[in-house]
Amino acid sequence: MSKQPVLKLVNIKRSYRNSGKALVILDRANFTLNRGETVALVAPSGTGKSTLLHIAGLLERPNSGDVELQGRSCAQLNDDRRTAVRRSDIGFVYQFHHLLPEFTALENVMLPQMIAGLGRDEARVRAKKLLDYMRVGHRAKHRPSELSGGEQQRVAIARAVANAPLVLLADEPTGNLDPATSGYVFEALTALVRQSGLAALIATHNYALAKQMDRRITLKNGKIVELA
């Protein structure tokens, strides 16, 4: 099957001012993420992993270069359009689940769908299916504080894909979990990517998990470099 590019970073440059000097994080960085593949971003802390994910997810603007989603130029969209694209096309999973504590697992997965305009009944049906797929459907009526760390993260993944995004960006999604739970959550995440045709870029320090992904990349001198 031919590769279908979903996300492209084109000649991305990003620097910050630090004590009057320019600190270069990304320097003409290029990257392509294809439909249905998982790519591990493996790099030491402080090299720009979070900056790369924020730019790819339209949370931060590059100094120059472009972010393309299915061929659409997105880097210079205004704030309203960037928010709309993030809501419809990009899902995020972080190291900490960031679930809303006052809502149940089911309601947490329903909310982004309802914000996007889906009716409550349809949102509930889809949310229940996603929770069942992530094997936490039996915990649908529980609040985050009543869930284990692995359950919380699986609910967070279900929420991230609730609006059927094109791209899933994950920043150390298993970083707070023990090895056994980490492997279980990662297995559920990759199965979801395969089943849905999502494209996933996952930052991780876990080399064992990284080796299970389709490709591995790192950051070196501001460039995105493919690893064997």
Side-chain angles (χ1 to χ4, degrees), residues 52-65:
L52 176 61
L53 289 172
H54 288 169
I55 289 174
L58 305 183
L59 291 169
E60 186 174 333
R61 296 181 189 272
N63 297 107
S64 62

Side-chain angles (χ1 to χ4, degrees), residues 52-127:
L52 176 61
L53 289 172
H54 288 169
I55 289 174
L58 305 183
L59 291 169
E60 186 174 333
R61 296 181 189 272
N63 297 107
S64 62
D66 201 6
V67 179
E68 297 179 3
L69 280 168
Q70 285 199 325
R72 294 175 297 165
S73 176
C74 296
Q76 300 306 319
L77 294 175
N78 64 37
D79 289 344
D80 288 344
R81 287 295 302 137
R82 290 163 70 85
T83 298
V85 172
R86 285 197 303 271
R87 185 180 297 146
S88 62
D89 293 342
I90 303 171
F92 296 92
V93 181
Y94 298 98
Q95 185 171 350
F96 186 71
H97 58 78
H98 293 298
L99 297 172
L100 297 174
E102 65 270 32
F103 294 102
T104 65
L106 184 70
E107 291 166 340
N108 266 280
V109 183
M110 288 173 61
L111 279 171
Q113 301 177 71
M114 294 171 65
I115 290 170
L118 201 64
R120 177 180 292 273
D121 290 343
E122 290 177 276
R124 181 181 291 107
V125 170
R126 177 165 172 77

Side-chain angles (χ1 to χ4, degrees), residues 11-228:
N11 291 325
I12 295 293
K13 296 185 74 173
R14 186 68 173 105
S15 63
Y16 302 94
R17 303 301 297 181
N18 183 25
S19 300
K21 297 180 180 179
L23 178 62
V24 178
I25 305 298
L26 299 171
D27 184 14
R28 297 186 298 279
N30 292 277
F31 172 66
T32 299
L33 182 64
N34 299 303
R35 178 178 173 83
E37 75 170 349
T38 56
V39 176
L41 172 57
V42 183
S45 298
T47 55
K49 293 196 305 295
S50 294
T51 296
L52 176 61
L53 289 172
H54 288 169
I55 289 174
L58 305 183
L59 291 169
E60 186 174 333
R61 296 181 189 272
N63 297 107
S64 62
D66 201 6
V67 179
E68 297 179 3
L69 280 168
Q70 285 199 325
R72 294 175 297 165
S73 176
C74 296
Q76 300 306 319
L77 294 175
N78 64 37
D79 289 344
D80 288 344
R81 287 295 302 137
R82 290 163 70 85
T83 298
V85 172
R86 285 197 303 271
R87 185 180 297 146
S88 62
D89 293 342
I90 303 171
F92 296 92
V93 181
Y94 298 98
Q95 185 171 350
F96 186 71
H97 58 78
H98 293 298
L99 297 172
L100 297 174
E102 65 270 32
F103 294 102
T104 65
L106 184 70
E107 291 166 340
N108 266 280
V109 183
M110 288 173 61
L111 279 171
Q113 301 177 71
M114 294 171 65
I115 290 170
L118 201 64
R120 177 180 292 273
D121 290 343
E122 290 177 276
R124 181 181 291 107
V125 170
R126 177 165 172 77
K128 186 64 169 64
K129 286 181 179 178
L130 284 168
L131 291 175
D132 286 342
Y133 189 87
M134 297 301 293
R135 301 180 189 176
V136 283
H138 63 295
R139 306 287 274 164
K141 294 183 179 180
H142 291 75
R143 288 184 170 82
S145 62
E146 301 171 308
L147 305 175
S148 70
E151 289 170 339
Q152 290 169 345
Q153 203 62 331
R154 278 181 277 158
V155 174
I157 292 168
R159 180 183 61 182
V161 301
N163 286 334
L166 298 170
V167 175
L168 180 67
L169 302 173
D171 194 355
E172 297 288 348
T174 62
N176 281 332
L177 306 176
D178 64 80
T181 305
S182 176
Y184 189 82
V185 169
F186 178 77
E187 180 183 336
L189 173 59
T190 52
L192 183 62
V193 170
R194 298 280 187 269
Q195 188 272 339
S196 63
L198 266 170
L201 176 60
I202 303 170
T204 181
H205 282 108
N206 190 322
Y207 285 88
L209 296 184
K211 288 179 180 178
Q212 298 177 45
M213 299 189 216
D214 298 315
R215 290 191 287 138
R216 286 151 296 282
I217 60 173
T218 190
L219 291 166
K220 187 174 182 180
N221 299 322
K223 301 286 196 293
I224 298 171
V225 179
E226 199 93 12
L227 295 173

